[in-house]
Amino acid sequence: MTAADLKAMLRRHHAPVRSIPKWVYMEEIRRNVSYDAGRTLDAMAICMWSSKKHAIHGYEIKVSRKDFKRELADPDKAGVFYQWVDRFYLVTPPDLVKPEELPPYWGLLEASPTGRFLLTKRQARTIGQSVISIEERERLVCMLRGAVRC
């Protein structure tokens, strides 16, 4: 299973099922706009529904144990995005990671054995470090709705 396979599953996981999508899904989110952004988050999804307080989820894809171990050894890699997201998930092929190996606040989405969808193996806990206020989220959602034409 490749990172591209897992990204395709994440896209389907956040695909709209109504005329107004619940999530806007984005890939390869850079830490800043400069040429040398330093860090990149594999994917991010922003909830378009006010009732869910426009939750923001971050995703890091890992397809090998070695890559997973590197992620754990460098906590700042994911940590630079904690101020942007409410919840953080690792996305993996089946049986790559045991939930108990993850930091306490990380969630785990695992590809199903058929590779057609993602299974929540562990729900992520709210990180609680987001600097994006509800007012800023509402403005962002207004812009995103225009961009996705819903």
Side-chain angles (χ1 to χ4, degrees):
M1 184 164 294
T2 67
D5 296 329
L6 292 168
K7 281 184 183 178
M9 282 183 255
L10 265 175
R11 279 192 294 278
R12 285 193 303 272
H13 185 72
H14 289 293
V17 292
R18 295 178 182 86
S19 59
I20 297 176
K22 181 176 181 181
W23 296 93
V24 169
Y25 171 80
M26 300 160 278
E27 294 176 355
E28 303 299 323
I29 308 302
R30 295 171 65 101
R31 184 173 134 182
N32 59 49
V33 296
S34 69
Y35 175 74
D36 183 20
R39 303 278 189 199
T40 301
L41 188 61
D42 288 327
M44 180 184 285
I46 300 175
C47 185
M48 302 295 278
W49 295 359
S50 297
S51 62
K52 301 294 182 185
K53 299 181 181 171
H54 306 298
I56 303 172
H57 293 181
Y59 301 98
E60 190 63 29
I61 293 171
K62 298 297 169 203
V63 295
S64 73
R65 286 288 298 175
K66 184 178 179 181
D67 195 16
F68 168 64
K69 293 290 189 180
R70 268 196 314 265
E71 186 77 25
L72 288 181
D74 185 5
D76 288 339
K77 185 172 186 288
V80 299
F81 292 100
Y82 291 167
Q83 65 182 342
W84 295 11
V85 302
D86 301 306
R87 296 177 190 261
F88 185 83
Y89 286 90
L90 204 62
V91 183
T92 69
D95 302 318
L96 182 80
V97 174
K98 294 177 184 150
E100 58 270 15
E101 294 179 285
L102 298 174
Y105 41 87
W106 287 18
L108 177 61
L109 296 179
E110 190 176 273
S112 67
T114 62
R116 294 182 45 93
F117 55 90
L118 294 170
L119 301 167
T120 303
K121 292 295 185 169
R122 185 166 100 180
Q123 186 71 29
R125 293 191 345 213
T126 301
I127 294 172
Q129 296 180 13
S130 180
V131 297
I132 305 171
S133 70
I134 192 65
E135 293 82 12
E136 292 168 321
R137 290 168 191 243
E138 288 172 352
R139 284 192 290 275
L140 176 61
V141 165
C142 288
M143 289 183 273
L144 290 171
R145 283 185 178 156
V148 297
R149 300 189 195 289
C150 55

